Amino acid sequence: MKKIPLMLLTLGVIGALGYGGYSMVMKFMHKEVYGIILVDKDAAKLEALAQKQKSDINQMAEVTGKWVATTKTLALTKDQAEQLIKQKALKAVTQKGDDFEFTTLKQINTQLPILYSKNPTDSVTDASGNEYVMNANEYVVLGESSAGVAAILILDQAAYNNFIGEAITVQALDQKVDASKALANYTSAEILQIYDLKK
């Protein structure tokens, strides 16, 4: 009979030590990052979110591009893309086997139009089926994922003016706190993700 309470006590101690060890390992393995990307067709919603959280935001870049939902393509002008580059929100991707490395894109140095996508293609169509022939393709993503925005099309101003797509707002936020903790404050955005500002 005395063995049962002793066994329960031993199991409790082992469980507590195991949980404590797991928590310590996770704390050391978790790498804090401070960038958050928000994308939404409702610009007022994003502005309200940023205003509500402004005490936790160091800097913010905001652009309104054009969106083709069927292909998850975001069209931007070179000036708009450069605003996101200043916020380190466009990342060049290098893939080695199953490993991906993300480094901040420094500049747009190719003759436009250029497509930033995992999947290179010769042309892109807008929402009305108008075709834009690419001068270059590069594996670049918004933040550190292509799940929400699969392709970023950079156009000169004239081509951008003619491009047909729904208006969509992109915010790149430099947070004062770990983005994984701050992310819960932005869950109403259509697309959101965290990214590393230091890479």
Side-chain angles (χ1 to χ4, degrees), residues 93-120:
V93 184
T94 306
Q95 183 176 3
K96 294 178 183 176
D98 291 336
D99 295 327
F100 296 88
E101 185 177 328
F102 300 90
T103 53
T104 301
L105 188 67
K106 302 291 184 198
Q107 63 181 359
I108 299 167
N109 56 3
T110 308
Q111 188 177 1
L112 304 178
I114 183 170
L115 182 67
Y116 293 149
S117 175
K118 180 180 181 179
N119 304 310

Side-chain angles (χ1 to χ4, degrees), residues 13 24 37 39 57 60 62 72 80 92 97 101 132 166:
V13 169
M24 291 288 284
I37 300 283
V39 183
I57 298 171
M60 177 178 77
E62 179 177 296
K72 295 184 179 179
Q80 290 172 319
E101 185 177 328
Y132 294 79
E166 189 173 6

